[in-house]
Amino acid sequence: MECFAPQESYPGEKRASLTPETAKKLSQLGLIVKAEANLGSGSNYPDAEYKKAGVSLLSSASDGLATADIVLRVRKPSAEEISAMKPGTILLSHLDPFNETELIQQLAQAKITSISLEMIPRTTLAQKMDVLSSQANLAGYSAVIEATSRIRKVLPMMMTPAGTISPCKVFVIGVGVAGLQAIATAKRLGARVEAFDTRPVVEEQVKSLGAKFVKIDLGDTGQTAQGYAKALTPEQIQMQQAGMAKICASSDVVITTAKLFGRKAPTLVTEEMIAGMQTGSVIVDLAVEGGGNVVGVKLNEEVTTENGVIILGHGSFEGNVAYHATQVYASNLLSFIEHFWDNENKRFKLDREDEILNGCLITHDGEIVHEQFKPKAG
Ligand code: NAD
């Protein structure tokens, strides 16, 4: 079998789906590994390293797509790329199937076996393949670093002969994978950190990182069987906004990461709350691609409000640390392939009984096979 990693075409995407290290391991499984030349130019993996790892570098993506049995991507493929693939190709990529109805239909029509990596179940067995976690962790880190570079203040307390500098206050809203790493990073840099999440189980984790958990009584909130937050009622959202307004007003940095899997992110930071914040404060909205938590945030833009608050809405903060984001993303893909690898016959075994595959297989053999995305009868 042959696998191919094309360059990413999404504007500004620096990550890649293959590293020299994972290429070597894929070859050891028995795969022929090919990649588009300059694959790692945005993430600092030089062509020479891929060559050393035995990868054949192609100057044109369409040549690689035409013969590949497995295609590795970070972002969804274009319509042209889909038509360049042969029927039966296994595509591993982010596909955003909740919003990409047309893309999913195209993949089915082209008889591509498509696997949406964000749909991999969040189970212990699948942890090594969990691209949401590997990328969110780095996004949380990068959000703090980016905000820190903008606030024109230092994070830790400093006692100097010229006076005492008070520590900055960082408020993290949404304490999943990204939020936890944001808290840990801000704490390491010496900030005073507070955090809030609607899932009460998070309180212990926040405290164990040395941060303060903000208590806002919203009544019943709970979480889904998969561990995701449930959507709040409009009344609960209002109570949450009221509870957070004061903390935002006294924070130098606010980082929002609150997502609802497969649904639009809740609006948590309102215009009024931003108007109450200090000039020079920075808000980072890590939920911007899902609609955003902050009123006025713009995807891939930096907005400065009238009162001088900076709102950062880059879609992929992990792209700022593209070397490591690529390292862990490519490793997730390798683990996925290893899990399904039939070593005897040197092929990817599409085990339809497997719980992991069932969770993330979207199209196969000309059809949309995932229960959640099948067209409704009638
Ligand atoms: P996510 O990106 O979907 O959401 C980020 C956080 O926002 C979550 O903690 C969520 O509770 C919170 N949130 C949602 N609405 C909110 C609101 N109105 N106000 C404040 N916070 C709000 O979450 P994630 O980081 O992908 O993690 C989701 C869950 O999956 C977590 O419980 C995590 O521990 C779990 N998880 C499990 C595994 C595993 O077992 N292998 C791996 C990764 C994550």
Side-chain angles (χ1 to χ4, degrees):
M1 281 187 119
E2 195 172 303
C3 88
F4 177 64
Q7 268 197 58
E8 295 299 315
S9 43
Y10 186 81
E13 181 56 77
K14 297 192 184 71
R15 295 170 294 168
S17 55
L18 182 79
T19 61
E21 184 66 26
T22 59
K24 221 185 285 169
K25 292 189 173 147
L26 289 169
S27 310
Q28 282 161 5
L29 292 179
L31 272 161
I32 297 162
V33 185
K34 296 184 178 178
E36 190 174 350
N38 290 321
L39 177 72
S41 59
S43 48
N44 289 347
Y45 293 92
D47 273 358
E49 296 291 319
Y50 285 102
K51 276 193 197 148
K52 229 193 279 170
V55 179
S56 309
L57 294 175
L58 310 178
S59 54
S60 130
S62 49
D63 288 349
L65 294 169
T67 58
D69 301 290
I70 302 176
V71 171
L72 308 175
R73 290 199 57 93
V74 178
R75 300 245 186 192
K76 63 174 183 170
S78 64
E80 297 75 60
E81 280 180 56
I82 295 173
S83 46
M85 293 182 218
K86 60 182 191 191
T89 301
I90 299 167
L91 169 69
L92 304 187
S93 179
H94 282 102
L95 293 173
D96 190 13
F98 290 100
N99 298 306
E100 294 287 353
T101 315
E102 215 174 291
L103 173 81
I104 300 308
Q105 278 162 359
Q106 275 172 25
L107 288 165
Q109 273 158 17
K111 296 202 157 111
I112 305 299
T113 296
S114 63
I115 286 154
S116 173
L117 297 166
E118 57 272 72
M119 296 298 294
I120 291 176
R122 311 295 284 272
T123 59
T124 308
L125 183 64
Q127 235 166 5
K128 287 197 293 190
M129 317 167 194
D130 185 350
V131 296
L132 291 182
S133 291
S134 73
Q135 303 302 290
N137 175 45
L138 294 174
Y141 166 87
S142 177
V144 174
I145 302 300
E146 282 293 304
T148 307
S149 72
R150 299 291 208 294
I151 48 172
R152 303 190 188 170
K153 288 185 176 181
V154 295
L155 257 58
M157 183 173 86
M158 288 187 190
M159 291 168 84
T160 77
T164 299
I165 297 174
S166 341
C168 274
K169 279 181 75 181
V170 174
F171 182 30
V172 177
I173 304 170
V175 190
V177 179
L180 281 172
Q181 186 56 256
I183 295 171
T185 305
K187 281 297 294 179
R188 275 184 221 121
L189 290 171
R192 288 224 313 262
V193 185
E194 293 182 83
F196 176 71
D197 197 294
T198 52
R199 293 181 301 120
V201 291
V202 162
E203 181 172 352
E204 273 316 303
Q205 297 166 18
V206 170
K207 285 183 178 160
S208 72
L209 290 170
K212 184 178 163 201
F213 187 74
V214 173
K215 295 216 180 199
I216 305 170
D217 186 6
L218 301 176
D220 182 27
T221 49
Q223 60 181 38
T224 66
Q226 280 259 323
Y228 288 114
K230 286 187 181 165
L232 301 181
T233 63
E235 292 75 31
Q236 284 176 313
I237 291 274
Q238 265 183 11
M239 281 156 74
Q240 182 180 348
Q241 288 167 347
M244 295 188 319
K246 241 190 183 166
I247 304 165
C248 287
S250 64
S251 295
D252 300 284
V253 174
V254 175
I255 295 173
T256 72
T257 78
K259 294 180 190 168
L260 295 168
F261 190 67
R263 311 173 65 166
K264 191 191 166 299
T267 303
L268 301 176
V269 181
T270 62
E271 235 173 329
E272 215 182 343
M273 287 156 81
I274 298 169
M277 289 176 68
Q278 305 152 42
T279 300
S281 301
V282 175
I283 307 175
V284 183
D285 189 343
L286 289 185
V288 65
E289 283 192 325
N293 295 139
V294 180
V295 172
V297 68
K298 291 210 174 111
L299 180 62
N300 295 332
E301 282 186 35
E302 184 171 325
V303 174
T304 305
T305 63
E306 261 175 40
N307 60 326
V309 174
I310 299 168
I311 307 173
L312 303 180
H314 306 307
S316 142
F317 270 87
E318 59 273 27
N320 289 336
V321 287
Y323 180 89
H324 283 135
T326 295
Q327 177 191 320
V328 291
Y329 184 85
S331 166
N332 291 144
L333 296 193
L334 170 69
S335 297
F336 189 90
I337 294 173
E338 281 176 341
H339 180 81
F340 292 102
W341 193 249
D342 172 357
N343 211 19
E344 211 171 298
N345 299 302
K346 302 286 175 217
R347 58 182 267 277
F348 187 99
K349 185 165 173 253
L350 205 71
D351 180 0
R352 299 289 301 276
E353 301 299 310
D354 187 280
E355 185 191 69
I356 298 173
L357 193 71
N358 247 321
C360 60
L361 181 68
I362 309 295
T363 62
H364 178 60
D365 212 7
E367 280 179 52
I368 299 173
V369 294
H370 196 292
E371 285 303 326
Q372 262 175 291
F373 308 110
K374 272 185 186 170
K376 303 271 177 292

